[in-house]
Amino acid sequence: MIFLVLLVFQLAITESIKVAESYWTLKPNELVVDEDMVKYGNKVLVPLMCGEAFEGQDIVWRRESGEQLQERGNRVLVTVEERQGGRYTCHSPNGSVLNHTLVLIRWPYRKIIKEAPEKGYIHCSTNNYSGSFQCSWTWDEKRDGKVVHIKAVRSHSGGNVSCSLNSSGHSISCQDHEYCPYSEELEHINLTIFFRSKYVVETYYQRFQISDIVRPDLVQINEKNDSLELQYPDTWNLPFSYFPLTFQVKEIRCRKKCDCNSSHHRSSKVNLTQDQHWPLKKGVTVCVRAQDDLCNSTWSEWTQYKRNKNRTRKNKKKRHRKEE
Ligand SMILES: *[C@@H]1O[C@H](CO)[C@@H](O)[C@H](O)[C@H]1NC(C)=O
Ligand SMILES: *[C@@H]1O[C@H](CO)[C@@H](O)[C@H](O)[C@H]1NC(C)=O
Ligand SMILES: *[C@@H]1O[C@H](CO)[C@@H](O)[C@H](O)[C@H]1NC(C)=O
Ligand SMILES: *[C@@H]1O[C@H](CO)[C@@H](O)[C@H](O)[C@H]1NC(C)=O
Ligand SMILES: *[C@@H]1O[C@H](CO)[C@@H](O)[C@H](O)[C@H]1NC(C)=O
Ligand SMILES: *[C@@H]1O[C@H](CO)[C@@H](O)[C@H](O)[C@H]1NC(C)=O
Ligand SMILES: *[C@@H]1O[C@H](CO)[C@@H](O)[C@H](O)[C@H]1NC(C)=O
Ligand SMILES: *[C@@H]1O[C@H](CO)[C@@H](O)[C@H](O)[C@H]1NC(C)=O
Ligand SMILES: *[C@@H]1O[C@H](CO)[C@@H](O)[C@H](O)[C@H]1NC(C)=O
Ligand SMILES: *[C@@H]1O[C@H](CO)[C@@H](O)[C@H](O)[C@H]1NC(C)=O
């Protein structure tokens, strides 16, 4: 208690600007300061260096605006205001540019991407157990955001997970190179995505196992002999005996605009089955989705099946012709 009071008192009387304690290099020539305003107030001093080769030389520093800093020399402390990073260049006294540093501020807010209902900020998923996965997000259209760095590792071994940004710019595709689909998954994947907008950096962290995020692709349905054959998605792992799926089947009664997602239709009790055969009844639309039988992960999307009326009509026509 006394300590806390002393601390607050001390902060209040310290008017001089503090030197940032936590900063790191995102890329060569890009410095990120972890902003902690409780600690620093709204300004912080950031140490910059022009280059090893310029030690002891007279160096001039400029802000992006062209404004020259008062401090000179190879190592200087620049004052960075809250949320106001920027580009700094260092020059020899005759004006030629020697080097540059971009100062970015990492803040704790979440503004560059948007939170989606139930999916959160970053949504990762995969359609099978092969160690590959995708993560997507939604940009906040008010910010000009981009991905500046992706860090993905196995939680214990620190093993190799490689990720790349999709061409669309709003998702990444990753591959865990040490992943083995046939052994129990003991490690997690630690994923951090670094987003940047202007001079601000936001980091988003996810930790998961492949089995947490697996979601089978659509079940294929074939009609055979008045029964339906439920097929495993092409992308699901083989052999099926080792990677079994559970099917969820419901029959809905609807004329037009049938929607398996909708709860407005009259529907049968929902059945769970591993059997790939389902008896086809007249006048019902069948909805089928699949889930990994061995863990409680996400269901696939529904596949909707209704007996093709056109075909039956065509058959009738044929029969008519034969009869004629
Ligand atoms: C310029 O700065 C970068 C990052 O600090 C440093 O790695 C590089 O060596 C510097 N270049 C020169 C010519 O000193
Ligand atoms: C400016 O000075 C640097 C060394 O400080 C030298 O290498 C460079 O050639 C000079 N440039 C001009 C235009 O005089
Ligand atoms: C992964 O995250 C966990 C918990 O956040 C941490 O204990 C572990 O050290 C991380 N692993 C690596 C390789 O960074
Ligand atoms: C990660 O694995 C890939 C494919 O096996 C390999 O090309 C790459 O060099 C590896 N990277 C590291 C850092 O081990
Ligand atoms: C990423 O791009 C690939 C091909 O460009 C596409 O198949 C995949 O669906 C994309 N992933 C996401 C999550 O959008
Ligand atoms: C359809 O049923 C008949 C008789 O019940 C059977 O002989 C035939 O093999 C079945 N065809 C298929 C594709 O299952
Ligand atoms: C897993 O899914 C990916 C992406 O759809 C596919 O390229 C790969 O062949 C699938 N792996 C297996 C074992 O089916
Ligand atoms: C169910 O909803 C999802 C999105 O919420 C949609 O993509 C899908 O097409 C719908 N499925 C059916 C069978 O209507
Ligand atoms: C579906 O479940 C109901 C009871 O829950 C059962 O009476 C019916 O036989 C099941 N249908 C199939 C095709 O398994
Ligand atoms: C499966 O997960 C859902 C949602 O995450 C949860 O509501 C349900 O209780 C879980 N079922 C089992 C058997 O763990």
Side-chain angles (χ1 to χ4, degrees):
M1 191 57 179
I2 291 171
F3 177 69
L4 194 70
V5 170
L6 276 178
L7 198 70
V8 171
F9 184 63
Q10 207 183 358
L11 277 176
I13 59 164
T14 314
E15 279 180 10
S16 62
I17 307 167
K18 287 199 163 60
V19 178
E21 280 163 22
S22 175
Y23 49 88
W24 40 278
T25 308
L26 181 59
K27 289 175 191 165
N29 304 90
E30 289 188 12
L31 199 69
V32 180
V33 179
D34 291 312
E35 182 184 83
D36 185 347
M37 282 311 150
V38 176
K39 209 157 149 192
Y40 299 128
N42 61 354
K43 286 180 184 174
V44 64
L45 290 171
V46 180
L48 298 183
M49 184 178 73
C50 189
E52 300 280 354
F54 312 118
E55 207 62 77
Q57 293 183 23
D58 184 22
I59 305 287
V60 178
W61 289 82
R62 288 182 188 282
R63 282 210 176 85
E64 209 162 12
S65 56
E67 176 201 355
Q68 188 177 322
L69 306 189
Q70 279 189 329
E71 278 201 83
R72 294 167 84 109
N74 187 37
R75 291 162 196 271
V76 294
L77 287 170
V78 298
T79 308
V80 174
E81 291 196 35
E82 186 176 17
R83 299 166 202 183
Q84 303 270 309
R87 209 174 114 97
Y88 293 83
T89 47
C90 52
H91 308 253
S92 58
N94 67 15
S96 61
V97 177
L98 300 172
N99 212 344
H100 64 93
T101 304
L102 182 66
V103 177
L104 303 171
I105 306 283
R106 185 171 80 127
W107 70 10
Y109 310 111
R110 296 191 170 294
K111 309 227 171 185
I112 300 177
I113 60 172
K114 292 202 284 198
E115 187 168 20
E118 287 166 36
K119 291 189 169 180
Y121 287 96
I122 309 270
H123 177 70
C124 296
S125 74
T126 178
N127 54 4
N128 62 29
Y129 292 99
S130 63
S132 71
F133 59 92
Q134 280 94 41
C135 301
S136 61
W137 57 87
T138 310
W139 294 111
D140 186 324
E141 54 285 334
K142 294 192 291 294
R143 312 253 163 187
D144 181 23
K146 59 181 178 192
V147 172
V148 285
H149 189 55
I150 306 161
K151 201 169 115 190
V153 287
R154 295 185 132 231
S155 57
H156 292 290
S157 68
N160 188 353
V161 181
S162 60
C163 294
S164 60
L165 189 62
N166 251 22
S167 52
S168 63
H170 56 71
S171 65
I172 55 171
S173 298
C174 301
Q175 175 70 46
D176 176 353
H177 296 285
E178 287 169 26
Y179 183 79
C180 172
Y182 305 105
S183 64
E184 194 190 344
E185 191 176 10
L186 297 171
E187 294 197 50
H188 286 73
I189 287 166
N190 292 5
L191 172 73
T192 310
I193 308 180
F194 298 74
F195 294 95
R196 179 184 157 194
S197 171
K198 292 195 176 151
Y199 298 124
V200 164
V201 171
E202 291 175 13
T203 57
Y204 293 76
Y205 176 69
Q206 299 266 303
R207 181 177 152 85
F208 54 83
Q209 292 186 314
I210 295 293
S211 58
D212 300 331
I213 62 164
V214 74
R215 184 190 197 194
D217 280 335
L218 288 172
V219 175
Q220 307 293 319
I221 301 180
N222 291 329
E223 188 180 329
K224 274 186 187 168
N225 269 3
D226 285 331
S227 87
L228 295 182
E229 188 186 49
L230 314 181
Q231 286 191 330
Y232 277 56
D234 289 339
T235 51
W236 193 247
N237 294 68
L238 293 167
F240 298 156
S241 57
Y242 200 86
F243 298 97
L245 288 175
T246 292
F247 299 105
Q248 192 177 42
V249 186
K250 70 176 175 185
E251 292 169 334
I252 59 176
R253 291 188 181 274
C254 47
R255 287 179 189 279
K256 285 175 190 168
K257 287 191 179 162
C258 296
D259 181 357
C260 293
N261 296 321
S262 165
S263 54
H264 297 307
H265 304 303
R266 268 203 298 146
S267 79
S268 68
K269 262 197 171 172
V270 170
N271 287 57
L272 289 178
T273 178
Q274 276 198 290
D275 190 353
Q276 287 180 255
H277 298 280
W278 185 263
L280 183 58
K281 294 195 198 86
K282 271 184 192 152
V284 298
T285 295
V286 178
C287 299
V288 183
R289 59 182 187 173
Q291 183 191 46
D292 182 354
D293 184 54
L294 303 176
C295 55
N296 188 19
S297 50
T298 314
W299 286 97
S300 70
E301 272 189 29
W302 290 105
T303 303
Q304 190 171 309
Y305 188 87
K306 185 157 200 177
R307 184 180 246 158
N308 194 339
K309 274 190 187 150
N310 292 336
R311 204 172 64 187
T312 34
R313 216 174 286 143
K314 244 187 244 161
N315 290 347
K316 267 185 198 156
K317 262 187 203 159
K318 263 189 206 157
R319 220 170 284 139
H320 271 296
R321 265 191 223 121
K322 267 187 190 168
E323 282 165 12
E324 275 164 11

